[in-house]
Amino acid sequence: MKSLLLIAIGSALVNNVVLSQFLGLCPFLGVSKKVETAAGMGGAVVFVITISSFVTALIYKYILANSYLMSKGIDLTYLQTIVFILVIAALVQFVEMFLKKSMPALYQSLGVYLPLITTNCAVLGTALTNVQNDYSFIASIVNGIGISLGFLIAIVILAGIREKMEYNNIPESFKGMPITLLTAGLMAIAFFGFSGLI
């Protein structure tokens, strides 16, 4: 239990997928203009990363790295990236259909960034990290939850700061993306302070 807690805290705060690993920057910067939209994107990413962590761990253990096939000389582990991308794409399509049907306003506000979860390197990075660290099914799910909650925390904080910055007097040369990147850099420095937790 202690190791699972360390995995969750480490992946959410210490090794934040956006602020320390720099994965998933496209939706992080593109959807963080409003807190509601950022929370919706974060929720979708939490669902996709958590489920994909579980499904890809099952596929890797029982199909790609199957001990019976390995004993016969058949090694399918080289297919992991392609298989993981297909699983992630299917899950994103499910999320997209669900949001279009049940929450059309959120679906419209997420726009093009919702299908881009398929190519969000944070999702694929989580699946590959689980395999590289040889996590069990439970550890893979906990790591996926931690990474996705870290993404959710980071994107909601950035969205809140960006909403406040709209009313501030910012120099012309810093308006738009420069001040956003500067803010993200300061957030990364702040999250670096969590490194003493583990």
Side-chain angles (χ1 to χ4, degrees), residues 6-169:
L6 288 175
I7 289 172
I9 291 172
S11 56
L13 299 175
V14 178
N15 299 317
N16 188 285
V17 71
V18 178
L19 300 174
S20 71
Q21 298 176 16
F22 306 112
L23 297 175
L25 287 176
C26 178
F28 177 69
L29 296 173
V31 186
S32 60
K33 292 178 182 167
K34 301 269 183 228
V35 173
E36 297 83 17
T37 309
M41 173 59 86
V45 168
V46 166
F47 176 78
V48 170
I49 288 181
T50 303
I51 301 299
S52 69
S53 294
F54 176 72
V55 173
T56 54
L58 284 175
I59 289 173
Y60 185 80
K61 181 165 177 65
Y62 290 113
I63 297 174
L64 299 179
N66 186 299
S67 56
Y68 176 76
L69 293 175
M70 295 284 232
S71 67
K72 299 292 184 187
I74 301 171
D75 184 13
L76 300 175
T77 56
Y78 69 94
L79 293 172
Q80 69 183 8
T81 305
I82 295 169
V83 171
F84 291 174
I85 289 173
L86 290 173
V87 168
I88 291 164
L91 288 170
V92 170
Q93 287 300 312
F94 174 74
V95 170
E96 192 172 357
M97 289 187 303
F98 174 77
L99 288 179
K100 190 174 186 180
K101 194 82 166 164
S102 62
M103 300 180 213
L106 179 59
Y107 175 79
Q108 290 295 328
S109 64
L110 291 174
V112 72
Y113 293 101
L114 185 59
L116 282 179
I117 295 176
T118 304
T119 57
N120 186 343
C121 49
V123 182
L124 180 60
T126 303
L128 294 175
T129 300
N130 291 339
V131 168
Q132 288 170 352
N133 292 335
D134 199 27
Y135 285 151
S136 65
F137 298 121
I138 301 297
S140 295
I141 294 169
V142 168
N143 187 47
I145 291 170
I147 285 177
S148 56
L149 287 178
F151 180 86
L152 175 66
I153 291 167
I155 196 170
V156 168
I157 289 173
L158 182 65
I161 293 171
R162 286 180 77 176
E163 280 187 357
K164 296 285 185 191
M165 284 191 305
E166 283 183 21
Y167 304 108
N168 292 339
N169 189 11

